Amino acid sequence: MRNVFRLIRPSSLVILLIASMVSYYYLKSTGISDLTSMYQTIFGGKPLNGPLLKGLFVMMLSLLQYTLIDYIVYYIDGFEYLSIRYGNKNKWLKDLLKGVFIYTATFVILFYLFGLLFDFIYNNFMFVQTEIIILVGVVLRIFLFCIVIVLLQIFLLLMYTKTSVFIISGGISILLAMTSHYEGSVLYILPRSSSPLNLLFDVLKSIVLAIVLITLIQKINLKRELIPHED
């Protein structure tokens, strides 16, 4: 785990920086001036009005999966070797999930920090105050949403070919963008802002979904033979 970041593509950081800049200045041009609101909007926490906002959302989910794909594929394709090295399948899965949590947290935090940098520059090198409690809540909610997306990516990669997963993941991203207004749906998982009771329900719903996905991944893992993952 000490070398977990060696699997990250340097290009991912460059693309993330560019994506953050494009997102920030586009949202500024639409009249959204609060950084926390921008951050939440990009991850679907607010209704995605218009094709460009939907495009930003799909772009962010694609970038999230692009950032983690090398790490996930390394563990899936190296299943036979890594399972033997770790001694059992459970240790292999535990190490995979630990890395996924670290990568996802880094992605979520870096995206906000890049936005903070652009906000600092845009406001003539003056920091704009924000409520820390609200910010922490938004960051944690977005992190939980991203974890669900990444766990779903792992589940799909264990079930289907990489090409099929690419198509399925793109379809899911577009579907989430198109249904961002339907907050009343039981399956709604986007990191929206709402009343404390609804927010608690959404958080619990995402946690349950993450646990279900981890359970499914574990079941598939226990049934796998010691052979490399194939396309």
Side-chain angles (χ1 to χ4, degrees):
M1 289 304 299
R2 289 178 299 177
N3 297 320
V4 63
F5 288 108
R6 67 185 173 82
L7 294 173
I8 194 170
R9 300 185 186 190
S11 60
S12 297
L13 294 175
V14 177
I15 295 173
L16 180 61
L17 179 63
I18 295 172
S20 301
M21 180 177 65
V22 171
S23 301
Y24 178 85
Y25 286 104
Y26 169 71
L27 291 175
K28 274 288 186 184
S29 70
T30 63
I32 303 176
S33 58
D34 178 60
L35 181 60
T36 303
S37 296
M38 290 182 181
Y39 183 59
Q40 193 173 13
T41 299
I42 292 169
F43 285 95
K46 295 182 181 298
L48 302 171
N49 300 311
L52 288 179
L53 278 183
K54 290 179 174 65
L56 282 178
F57 173 77
V58 172
M59 176 190 72
M60 289 312 304
L61 289 195
S62 299
L63 182 54
L64 170 67
Q65 294 173 79
Y66 172 79
T67 302
L68 275 79
I69 189 64
D70 282 346
Y71 179 81
I72 294 172
V73 168
Y74 168 77
Y75 271 82
I76 292 177
D77 285 353
F79 173 73
E80 181 178 12
Y81 163 73
L82 293 171
S83 294
I84 294 173
R85 192 181 77 176
Y86 291 136
N88 62 63
K89 298 177 183 179
N90 286 331
K91 287 185 178 179
W92 170 88
L93 180 59
K94 182 179 178 181
D95 214 32
L96 168 63
L97 293 178
K98 284 171 66 176
V100 160
F101 275 76
I102 292 172
Y103 267 117
T104 305
T106 302
F107 178 90
V108 169
I109 293 171
L110 272 180
F111 188 81
Y112 183 82
L113 290 178
F114 286 149
L116 189 64
L117 172 64
F118 296 128
D119 202 46
F120 181 60
I121 296 172
Y122 186 88
N123 290 295
N124 296 319
F125 302 97
M126 293 180 60
F127 282 112
V128 177
Q129 293 184 347
T130 185
E131 293 187 40
I132 299 299
I133 295 178
I134 294 176
L135 172 60
V136 171
V138 169
V139 170
L140 290 177
R141 185 69 187 88
I142 290 174
F143 169 73
L144 184 56
F145 167 68
C146 289
I147 280 294
V148 170
I149 295 299
V150 174
L151 289 174
L152 179 60
Q153 182 185 20
I154 296 172
F155 171 73
L156 292 173
L157 283 169
L158 289 171
M159 295 288 290
Y160 306 106
T161 66
K162 298 180 184 70
T163 302
S164 297
V165 172
F166 174 77
I167 295 172
I168 295 171
S169 298
I172 291 172
S173 299
I174 294 172
L175 179 63
L176 288 173
M178 296 298 293
T179 58
S180 63
H181 292 81
Y182 299 103
E183 297 184 4
S185 172
V186 176
L187 299 177
Y188 191 91
I189 61 171
L190 297 176
R192 63 181 175 182
S193 292
S194 55
S195 66
L197 184 60
N198 287 333
L199 179 60
L200 177 60
F201 176 70
D202 288 341
V203 168
L204 291 175
K205 185 166 55 177
S206 295
I207 291 174
V208 169
L209 183 55
I211 292 172
V212 169
L213 286 169
I214 291 174
T215 302
L216 291 174
I217 291 169
Q218 186 174 29
K219 286 184 177 180
I220 296 173
N221 176 49
L222 292 175
K223 292 179 180 179
R224 295 180 73 197
E225 300 292 338
L226 291 178
I227 56 175
H229 180 74
E230 298 179 355
D231 284 333

